[in-house]
Amino acid sequence: MNLELQQFKADFFKALAHPLRIRILELLAEGDKNVNELQSLIGTEGSAVSQQLSILRAKNIVYGTKDGNKVLYALREPLIVDLLQIARQIFNNHLIDAISMLDKFNDENGNDSESSGK
């Protein structure tokens, strides 16, 4: 059972491991959208959006419902929004740590970050 859970997690994170898929999820966190809306908001080809949606659908991360001649996509699990927010917090923490290390490095080497244009 534990191995199955680990495999599920690995597959789940692999499905998230693409910048365009992350952007799609961020947009769907704001509400349901069709391919044309996503394409317009992202500024990329519809085929690229469709391809990434297909991967997200295959991993049961998003689902589509027919709306006339279009398909509206939505997050299958609202907790995805929390996951994306936590990932952003982790990123921000790493960024703060990197800035702090750079400041410390500059202080130790007599570099003034303001005079160096940073």
Side-chain angles (χ1 to χ4, degrees):
M1 177 68 164
N2 202 17
L3 184 58
E4 291 173 7
L5 178 59
Q6 291 169 345
Q7 186 62 52
F8 169 82
K9 289 177 182 179
D11 290 342
F12 176 80
F13 283 111
K14 282 181 198 173
L16 300 182
H18 191 284
L20 185 52
R21 291 195 288 268
I22 296 294
R23 183 65 183 131
I24 289 169
L25 294 175
E26 290 171 340
L27 290 169
L28 292 178
E30 299 169 3
D32 302 356
K33 294 179 179 45
N34 64 46
V35 173
N36 291 336
E37 291 171 314
L38 290 168
Q39 175 186 351
S40 175
L41 290 166
I42 294 170
T44 189
E45 296 178 22
S47 61
V49 170
S50 294
Q51 180 183 19
Q52 301 309 322
L53 281 168
S54 176
I55 292 167
L56 293 170
R57 265 193 339 262
K59 295 298 179 185
N60 290 316
I61 296 171
V62 301
Y63 68 96
T65 53
K66 198 82 161 141
D67 182 31
N69 62 347
K70 295 182 179 183
V71 177
L72 278 180
Y73 289 93
L75 298 175
R76 184 168 300 279
E77 175 57 64
L79 287 172
I80 292 287
V81 176
D82 295 335
L83 180 65
L84 294 173
Q85 289 172 341
I86 290 168
R88 182 178 294 243
Q89 289 173 338
I90 292 169
F91 172 79
N92 287 341
N93 291 343
H94 283 283
L95 189 58
I96 289 167
D97 289 346
I99 291 169
S100 177
M101 284 190 299
L102 180 60
D103 287 344
K104 189 175 181 178
F105 174 80
N106 285 334
D107 289 345
E108 290 172 358
N109 290 297
N111 296 332
D112 182 6
S113 60
E114 289 180 20
S115 65
S116 65
K118 293 181 183 173

